[in-house]
């Protein structure tokens, strides 16, 4: 048990835990100390001096965010001396740079502004500020207005401590100090990987999201807690919505495995998708498309499938569907067509190495062996977590081509055939963690199993391929010897259909998808699907965590969530399936976790 | 007791703050039972009367020598001076000019702008001379009460006037009326 320390805050006895800062102890005791540079996810540095506290009349004031509690400590958080100093600090902060809120995109959601309001700053004590700073809009998704920066260094700490990317730093001194990227290059040309973590922690209008600037304040928005559907990590995030318009995505601080982080793929790319949406069911008639209602579309599909022989149905899915949809798809096919092909349009892990580790094990690893995976490209937040472990002193050993995105951070790099040597090195570590992906060969797997005391973290190649594999979908190319094909593309458009594969009279093809693609163009029936933001359900992440997806906005047009389409289709086929999402989720989950 | 006299004037502003004053709406009828607006930019009489008023209200920043004169005249003729709006309290949107410099701003606006034909920088002696630095009113005259906002809400202005009429001096506006935008 942690040692308890007795302190007194504003005359009130408080039990703190040994090692806590005064700020932490006060916050836990419900005593608010104003802060600016502090962020709970970052190491405190006491840079802004807003959280000053009085320890004794004879001592200078100390920042509460870095001052540790000791037995018998007496603290004043709002004494006249403290309040005077705090106001002075605040006036200095406002006197540097341009804090004219009326044309700032963050006005209303700015922590500096909140403090100005709290202390009733209604005019400048100091000379009006006149020195202009540059604005750097060279990054695609968000910009940096140095004029609004308070030099709290949250961005710098986030980039180093959380993302372990070390892009940001400071240059110049005093009032001229500026946040800078690498050796002072424009942000857009720097080593920045556009994860947006710095953007998320910035307390002011210095880092501003280009897409959602001036589009609505927090009080005008709704937040939906959900799971990112762009890769198999399933990072927890919040969708910030105004009306039915998504303003931006933010990493959820208390979510596993990401702890607040997102990457470019998860935070920005989904909001810049410009592919044409499918909004109404369509069927092919007389060589052309006809938009129909759901009833007609599903009846058409059910009618055609009714006569298909038990081994002549092919069902193929991408890894982008929910647990519920994958469960229904497998069930729908197998109940009626026991010999149906259940194909997965994606690589899968060739083996599962045991004991399985979790990404949260990475911080305690002293050696990380990466084999057959390139998380920088495929599961970026995992690459941040690995780099973080390397920063803390873990050795990184990679078995892959030299192009692997983590290669620059590796202590040792082996070619794919040298996995044995790498395994020997790993075996000498105290707490080795093997991170492996779909490129792992059976021979390599053999070599890895022998590593003493290792835990194995899989990196699934597709969003929900872990669930797909558990439900019986096997990586395969399109089955050719079938009469009907049911394709669940979701939001993915895997390449183009093999030319000439579709001759309308040969294979009856149903495509369930969100976007127009060569596949939907060649289909007989197209069922429009809701996207990641428009559907609820669950995803199984690469570690086997069942993550909840919550719809943040209504589906576009008549599109429907993946599992709703399949459950309606099952009904048309006369099959009994659970009608509520809860029931369905439970069935899907028990089958996924059982295998 | 006679009515309390109030005079208003504007400096380098956009008139938005005065619009907010008018936005007090029907409450102004009630207010007029107790106060008299002697002069304002939106009435026939433009300048505060020589015999003085109780309350002077200024909108806008100090941007040229003319603004200084107007601010000084108001200060001399009123007992209690209120600066309303971000321009008057901080320099506000007019102070954006500080970041490029007055000369560059004039040049851009009057000579180089895309729509300029035969431009010239106005220099009629009737006009005030632009200052190098735009500031809030308090950098030139003493201000008794600051009401920030761009513009301040009608409620904020009404609150301040009501408090004054009740014989109280609002030092700072209550949080729900205190804003910078
Ligand atoms: S950063 Fe904050 S304080 Fe500065 S102008 Fe923007 S809203 Fe106002
Ligand atoms: S976006 Fe990410 S990588 Fe780029 S500077 Fe910010 S925190 Fe660092
Ligand atoms: S950019 Fe934002 S987070 Fe970074 S130092 Fe400036 S104010 Fe702080
Ligand atoms: S504070 Fe805003 S509304 Fe008032 S004069 Fe200035 S710009 Fe106009």
């Amino acid at each position: 048990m942690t040692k308890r320390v007795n302190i007194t805050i504003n005359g009130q006895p408080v039990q703190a835990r040994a090692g806590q800062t005064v700020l932490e102890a006060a916050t836990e005791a419900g005593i608010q100390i104003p802060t600016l540079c502090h962020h709970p996810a970052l190491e405190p540095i006491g840079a802004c001096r807003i959280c000053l506290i009085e320890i004794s009349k004879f001592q200078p004031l100390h920042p509460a965010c870095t001052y540790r509690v000791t037995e018998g400590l007496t603290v004043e958080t709002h004494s006249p001396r403290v309040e005077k100093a705090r106001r002075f600090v605040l006036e200095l902060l406002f006197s540097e740079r341009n804090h004219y809120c009326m044309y700032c995109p963050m006005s209303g959601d700015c922590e500096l502004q909140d403090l100005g309001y709290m202390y009733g700053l209604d005019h400048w004590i100091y000379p009006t500020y006149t020195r202009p700073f540059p604005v750097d809009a060279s990054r695609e998704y968000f910009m940096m207005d140095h004029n609004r920066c308070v030099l709290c260094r949250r961005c710098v700490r986030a980039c180093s401590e959380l993302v372990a990317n070390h892009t940001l730093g400071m240059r110049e001194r005093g009032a001229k100090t500026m946040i800078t990227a690498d050796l002072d290059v424009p942000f857009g040309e720097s080593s920045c990987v556009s994860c947006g973590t710095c953007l998320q922690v910035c307390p002011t209008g210095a880092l501003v999201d280009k897409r959602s600037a001036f589009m609505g304040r927090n009080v005008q928005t709704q937040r939906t807690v959900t799971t990112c559907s762009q890769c198999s990590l399933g990072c927890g995030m919040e969708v910030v919505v105004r009306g039915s318009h998504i303003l931006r995505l933010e990493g959820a601080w208390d979510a596993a495995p990401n702890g607040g982080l997102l990457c470019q793929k998860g935070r920005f790319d989904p909001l810049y998708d410009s592919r044409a949406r499918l909004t109404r069911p369509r069927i092919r008639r007389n060589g052309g498309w006809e938009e129909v209602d759901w009833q007609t579309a599903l009846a058409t599909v059910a009618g055609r499938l009714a006569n298909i022989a038990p081994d002549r149905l092919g069902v193929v899915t991408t890894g982008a569907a929910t647990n519920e949809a994958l469960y229904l798809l497998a069930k729908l096919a197998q109940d009626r067509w026991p010999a149906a092909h259940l194909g997965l349009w994606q690589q899968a892990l060739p083996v599962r190495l045991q004991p399985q580790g979790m990404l949260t094990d990475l911080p305690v690893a002293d050696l990380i062996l990466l084999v057959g995976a390139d998380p920088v490209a495929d599961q970026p937040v995992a690459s941040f977590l690995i780099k973080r472990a390397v920063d803390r002193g873990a050795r990184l050993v990679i078995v892959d081509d030299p192009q692997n995105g983590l290669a620059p951070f590796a202590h040792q790099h082996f070619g794919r055939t040298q996995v044995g040597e790498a395994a020997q090195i790993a075996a000498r570590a105290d707490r080795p963690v093997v991170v492996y992906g779909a490129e792992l060969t059976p021979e390599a797997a053999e070599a890895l199993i022998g590593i003493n005391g290792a835990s194995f973290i899989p990196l699934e190649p597709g969003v929900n391929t872990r669930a797909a594999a558990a439900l019986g979908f096997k990586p395969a190319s399109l089955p050719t010897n079938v009469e009907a094909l049911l394709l669940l593309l979701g939001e993915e458009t895997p390449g183009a259909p093999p030319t000439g594969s579709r001759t309308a009279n040969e294979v009856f093809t149903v495509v369930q998808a969100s976007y127009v693609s060569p596949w939907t163009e060649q289909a007989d029936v197209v069922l429009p699907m809701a996207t990641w933001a428009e559907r609820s359900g669950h995803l199984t992440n690469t570690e086997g965590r069942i993550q909840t997806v919550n719809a943040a906005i209504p589906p576009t047009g008549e599109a429907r969530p993946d599992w709703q389409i399949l459950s309606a289709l099952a009904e048309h086929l006369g099959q009994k399936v659970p009608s509520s999402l809860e029931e369905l989720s439970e069935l899907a989950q028990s089958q996924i976790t059982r295998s | 007791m006679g009515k309390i006299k109030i005079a208003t004037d504007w400096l380098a502003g956009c008139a938005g703050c005065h619009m907010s004053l008018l936005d007090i709406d029907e409450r102004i009828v009630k207010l007029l039972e107790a106060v008299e607006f002697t002069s304002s930019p939106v009435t026939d009489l433009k300048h505060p009367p020589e015999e003085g008023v109780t309350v002077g209200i200024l909108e806008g920043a100090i941007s040229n020598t003319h603004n200084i004169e107007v601010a000084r005249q108001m200060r001399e003729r009123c007992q209690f001076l209120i600066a309303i709006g971000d321009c008057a309290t901080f320099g506000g949107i007019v102070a954006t000019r500080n970041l490029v410099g007055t000369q560059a701003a004039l040049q851009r606006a009057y000579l180089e702008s895309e729509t300029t034909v035969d431009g010239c920088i106005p220099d009629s002696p009737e006009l005030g001379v632009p200052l190098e630095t735009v500031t809030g009113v308090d950098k030139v005259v003493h201000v008794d009460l600051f009401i920030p906002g761009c513009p301040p809400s009608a409620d904020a202005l009404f609150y301040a006037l009501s408090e004054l009429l009740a014989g109280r001096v609002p030092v700072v506006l209550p949080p729900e009326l205190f804003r910078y935008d």
Side-chain angles (χ1 to χ4, degrees):
Chain A
M1 226 189 86
T2 359
K3 212 175 132 234
R4 292 272 151 185
V5 177
N6 295 301
I7 62 170
T8 311
I9 306 180
N10 304 337
Q12 173 188 332
V14 168
Q15 277 229 323
R17 275 175 281 122
Q20 265 188 323
T21 63
V22 171
L23 179 62
E24 286 165 345
T27 308
E28 269 178 32
I31 299 164
Q32 302 270 336
I33 301 175
T35 58
L36 182 59
C37 73
H38 180 73
H39 190 285
L42 304 171
E43 286 298 321
I45 54 169
C48 73
R49 297 330 231 200
I50 286 293
C51 69
L52 288 175
I53 45 161
E54 187 169 6
I55 303 295
S56 105
K57 273 208 277 299
F58 310 107
Q59 270 197 47
L61 302 177
H62 294 279
C65 69
T66 52
Y67 201 88
R68 308 263 163 206
V69 295
T70 48
E71 184 63 35
L73 184 75
T74 318
V75 176
E76 287 296 328
T77 66
H78 288 78
S79 65
R81 184 175 162 218
V82 165
E83 291 289 57
K84 195 172 157 218
R86 218 174 261 158
R87 202 188 157 90
F88 168 68
V89 168
L90 199 54
E91 268 160 359
L92 286 176
L93 278 168
F94 271 101
S95 77
E96 283 184 3
R97 316 215 174 178
N98 174 358
H99 293 298
Y100 291 118
C101 304
M102 78 291 272
Y103 56 94
C104 176
M106 290 314 284
S107 188
D109 295 319
C110 166
E111 295 179 38
L112 179 63
Q113 185 184 65
D114 290 346
L115 289 167
Y117 289 170
M118 188 185 289
Y119 283 88
L121 252 59
D122 57 10
H123 63 289
W124 302 153
I125 303 281
Y126 299 103
T128 308
Y129 197 73
T130 55
R131 184 191 156 101
F133 279 85
V135 175
D136 185 332
S138 60
R139 248 189 298 223
E140 190 174 349
Y141 305 106
F142 59 105
M143 49 182 242
M144 167 88 200
D145 182 350
H146 291 279
N147 296 289
R148 308 283 193 191
C149 177
V150 291
L151 302 173
C152 69
R153 294 152 173 83
R154 277 194 198 176
C155 53
V156 180
R157 283 177 282 158
C159 190
S160 309
E161 294 170 20
L162 301 181
V163 194
N165 211 55
H166 305 281
T167 298
L168 301 179
M170 324 283 292
R171 66 185 177 89
E172 302 276 2
R173 286 271 190 257
K176 291 184 191 164
T177 309
M178 273 170 68
I179 299 296
T180 186
D182 297 338
L183 296 171
D184 193 18
V185 296
F187 290 101
E189 293 163 27
S190 71
S191 59
C192 167
V193 294
S194 289
C195 69
T197 310
C198 52
L199 170 69
Q200 184 169 321
V201 298
C202 179
T204 69
L207 288 168
V208 175
D209 180 40
K210 289 184 184 175
R211 186 188 146 91
S212 64
F214 295 113
M215 298 280 276
R217 298 175 176 192
N218 279 331
V219 291
Q220 298 165 311
T221 61
Q222 291 85 43
R223 279 169 183 263
T224 306
V225 178
T226 188
T227 301
C228 174
S229 306
Q230 309 304 324
C231 87
S232 60
L233 293 191
C235 293
M237 66 176 188
E238 291 187 13
V239 187
V240 184
V241 173
R242 185 170 186 198
S244 52
H245 187 83
I246 301 180
L247 296 188
R248 65 184 169 273
L249 305 176
E250 290 178 4
W253 291 109
D254 52 1
N258 56 316
L261 298 180
L262 292 178
C263 68
Q264 177 187 327
K265 262 192 355 182
R267 190 190 298 269
F268 297 114
D269 291 351
L271 302 183
Y272 290 79
D273 200 324
S274 56
R275 289 175 290 169
R277 277 298 291 276
L278 294 159
T279 55
R280 291 202 65 194
R282 316 171 172 171
I283 58 179
R284 189 180 291 280
R285 263 196 201 141
N286 309 326
W289 282 117
E290 193 176 311
E291 294 200 333
V292 294
D293 56 22
W294 276 102
Q295 182 66 21
T296 313
L298 294 170
T300 307
V301 177
R304 287 291 299 265
L305 292 187
N307 307 319
I308 304 291
D311 60 345
R312 304 295 250 163
L313 175 70
V315 170
V316 181
T317 182
T318 59
T322 57
N323 289 352
E324 290 79 3
L326 292 170
Y327 169 81
L328 280 175
L329 189 62
K331 186 168 160 48
L332 183 146
Q334 287 167 328
D335 274 6
R336 182 100 164 239
W337 294 272
H341 299 259
L342 293 189
L344 175 61
W345 223 319
Q346 211 136 24
Q347 281 180 301
L349 295 179
V351 281
R352 269 185 186 287
L353 301 175
Q354 301 295 346
Q356 191 206 287
M358 301 298 267
L359 288 156
T360 37
D361 298 343
L362 286 171
V364 294
D366 63 344
L367 182 140
I368 297 168
L369 175 54
L370 180 70
V371 187
D374 190 355
V376 170
D378 303 327
Q379 301 87 2
V381 169
S383 76
F384 306 160
L385 300 178
I386 293 174
K387 286 194 286 177
R388 231 149 92 173
V390 171
D391 276 356
R392 288 204 191 95
R395 290 186 70 75
L396 177 62
V397 181
I398 299 183
V399 179
D400 197 7
D401 301 335
Q403 297 82 4
N404 189 294
L406 280 174
F409 306 89
H411 295 89
Q412 269 161 309
H413 199 132
F414 294 95
R416 290 181 185 227
T417 53
Q418 297 164 291
V419 65
E421 279 170 64
Q424 272 174 20
I425 292 170
R428 290 200 290 272
D430 291 329
R431 292 176 307 280
V433 171
V434 176
V435 180
Y436 67 102
E439 302 276 315
L440 178 79
T441 58
E443 303 80 64
E446 226 21 70
L448 297 177
I449 294 169
I451 303 175
N452 234 341
S455 64
F456 298 89
I457 304 178
L459 289 179
E460 287 280 348
V463 180
N464 207 11
T465 45
R466 178 157 180 151
L471 292 165
F473 292 91
K474 301 228 159 42
S477 45
L478 278 191
T480 44
N481 54 344
V482 293
E483 289 164 19
L485 257 181
L486 201 54
L487 303 182
L488 202 170
L489 292 186
E491 291 168 61
E492 298 190 0
T493 43
T499 39
S501 82
R502 197 209 100 79
T503 42
N505 341 349
E506 267 174 35
V507 182
F508 174 68
T509 311
V510 182
V511 174
Q512 178 173 327
S514 303
Y515 297 101
V516 177
S517 74
W519 295 96
T520 59
E521 291 311 298
Q522 295 209 5
D524 292 282
V525 180
V526 174
L527 305 175
M529 214 182 94
T531 59
W532 61 272
E534 305 165 346
R535 66 171 182 202
S536 295
H538 294 84
L539 294 170
T540 308
N541 96 333
T542 189
E543 310 163 283
R545 291 179 205 265
I546 308 285
Q547 318 265 62
T548 308
V549 179
N550 289 309
I553 52 171
T556 304
E558 290 174 27
R560 289 188 188 173
D562 52 6
W563 62 270
Q564 267 182 28
I565 298 174
L566 290 163
S567 93
L569 179 58
E571 240 170 74
H572 274 264
L573 286 164
Q575 299 181 2
K576 249 195 89 59
V577 290
S579 50
S580 79
L581 178 60
E582 289 72 37
E583 227 179 306
L584 185 57
S585 304
E586 222 165 275
L587 284 171
Q589 179 168 342
S590 74
Q591 193 163 333
I592 290 165
T593 46
R594 197 169 339 122
S595 55
Chain B
M1 195 183 103
K3 289 185 177 181
I4 290 180
K5 289 185 176 149
I6 300 181
T8 79
D9 211 336
W10 61 38
L11 312 167
C14 75
C17 291
H18 271 77
M19 295 305 126
S20 222
L21 199 56
L22 297 178
D23 271 346
I24 290 178
D25 288 339
E26 73 283 356
R27 285 175 294 183
I28 210 160
V29 177
K30 188 104 186 81
L31 200 61
L32 287 175
E33 285 171 13
V35 308
E36 176 195 344
F37 282 94
T38 60
S39 57
S40 81
V42 291
T43 53
D44 288 343
L45 289 178
K46 306 289 180 200
H47 301 294
E50 262 170 60
E51 66 274 20
V53 294
T54 311
V55 178
I57 295 178
L58 284 178
E59 160 195 320
I62 303 292
S63 142
N64 60 32
T65 49
H66 179 65
N67 300 147
I68 298 178
E69 283 164 31
V70 173
R72 287 204 175 126
Q73 184 184 56
M74 183 63 92
R75 178 71 274 183
E76 277 158 19
R77 294 183 183 182
C78 75
Q79 293 167 32
F80 191 85
L81 180 60
I82 312 179
I84 64 169
D86 283 346
C87 294
T89 53
F90 304 112
I93 204 134
V94 190
T96 319
R97 192 177 91 198
N98 294 342
L99 301 179
V100 292
T102 297
Q103 203 45 43
L106 288 171
Q107 205 149 318
R108 175 83 185 107
Y110 291 102
L111 302 180
E112 297 161 0
S113 99
E114 285 67 12
T115 50
T116 302
V117 181
D118 299 336
C120 74
I121 295 175
D123 61 353
S124 156
E126 285 172 23
L127 296 172
V129 182
L131 302 171
E132 203 32 63
T133 305
V134 177
T135 66
V137 174
D138 67 307
K139 297 286 182 282
V140 176
V141 294
H142 175 75
V143 173
D144 299 295
L145 175 65
F146 298 88
I147 307 182
C150 184
S153 67
D155 286 347
L157 298 172
F158 183 73
Y159 170 86
L161 291 176
S162 308
E163 287 291 291
L164 285 174
L165 283 178
R168 293 183 291 264
V169 178
V171 181
V172 182
L173 295 174
E176 66 276 13
L177 298 175
F178 190 95
R179 30 188 324 148
Y180 297 147
D181 55 10

